[in-house]
Amino acid sequence: MDYYAKLGRQPFWKLLLTGFLFMMFGNLLCTIVTISTAPFMNIEFFKVVVFILTLAIFYSMIFTAGYRDGDREQKYVRLHKAEPPKENKWLVIGALLMLIMFIPSAVLFLDKICGWYFDMTFVHRIIDGMVYPLSLMIVPDNSIDSMQVFVPFIYMLCYAGIPAATHLGYYFGYTQKFNKDDIMYE
């Protein structure tokens, strides 16, 4: 048995992979929500509502990744099978996940300033599902020629809360803030 199996903790790479998969699933769900509401996307107010919903979906998925690990860690510490964990591990994992989500926007930025021969706006909308409704508001005609240079940085800003969301999820899981027994009897 390796060191992590004895303690019940998952290695860093496995936690990063879990966070990445939750992040990709969140983006996929956001893309599905945006595409399924396409008949109503000609109304600006509806685009704003869908963007708020996609933000909630994405960040709840990121929160869940940290929450599950925090809940698991708390059980091992409570049963005296492990030492208390490092506080900042989900900040580091969240920062790495944020940098991963910056990559599609960086490629879109390079596409805009370098004038490549392929238009990345449609592909970017599918990959970055959380900002899909926002991109429909900012770049409505789906062309990189009509997109301003600063738009990819706005997309990156939408993902800037990932480290805080993962750390908050871990904190809530570890401190059992959503424990139904504690909520019922307090």
Side-chain angles (χ1 to χ4, degrees), residues 165-176:
T166 56
H167 182 68
L168 193 63
Y170 178 78
Y171 172 76
F172 273 55
Y174 187 73
T175 58
Q176 297 289 305

Side-chain angles (χ1 to χ4, degrees), residues 67 71 74-75 78 175-186:
Y67 182 83
D71 187 44
Q74 197 277 334
K75 287 176 184 170
R78 184 178 44 188
T175 58
Q176 297 289 305
K177 293 290 186 186
F178 295 134
N179 188 350
K180 61 184 171 190
D181 295 331
D182 291 343
I183 293 171
M184 292 291 288
Y185 297 114
E186 281 187 3

Side-chain angles (χ1 to χ4, degrees), residues 2-94:
D2 67 338
Y3 175 73
Y4 292 105
K6 289 179 190 174
L7 292 180
R9 290 197 172 119
Q10 293 184 346
F12 183 81
W13 66 268
K14 201 169 189 181
L15 293 174
L16 182 65
L17 180 64
T18 301
F20 179 77
L21 292 175
F22 269 95
M23 188 172 62
M24 289 296 104
F25 188 62
N27 273 320
L28 177 66
L29 285 175
C30 293
T31 301
I32 290 170
V33 165
T34 305
I35 290 173
S36 65
T37 57
F40 308 105
M41 283 299 179
N42 55 355
I43 304 168
E44 288 298 318
F45 175 73
F46 198 74
K47 289 178 188 176
V48 173
V49 170
V50 172
F51 178 61
I52 292 170
L53 289 174
T54 58
L55 277 172
I57 290 169
F58 180 80
Y59 278 108
S60 66
M61 294 301 291
I62 290 297
F63 179 89
T64 303
Y67 182 83
R68 284 183 161 189
D69 183 51
D71 187 44
R72 183 175 37 253
E73 289 271 346
Q74 197 277 334
K75 287 176 184 170
Y76 282 112
V77 170
R78 184 178 44 188
L79 296 172
H80 304 293
K81 291 185 177 182
E83 301 279 326
K86 295 179 183 175
E87 289 286 323
N88 298 329
K89 72 177 177 182
W90 275 98
L91 281 174
V92 173
I93 292 170

Side-chain angles (χ1 to χ4, degrees), residues 127-139:
I127 293 172
D128 284 353
M130 182 183 71
V131 297
Y132 195 163
L134 180 65
S135 70
L136 291 174
M137 290 185 276
I138 296 175
V139 188

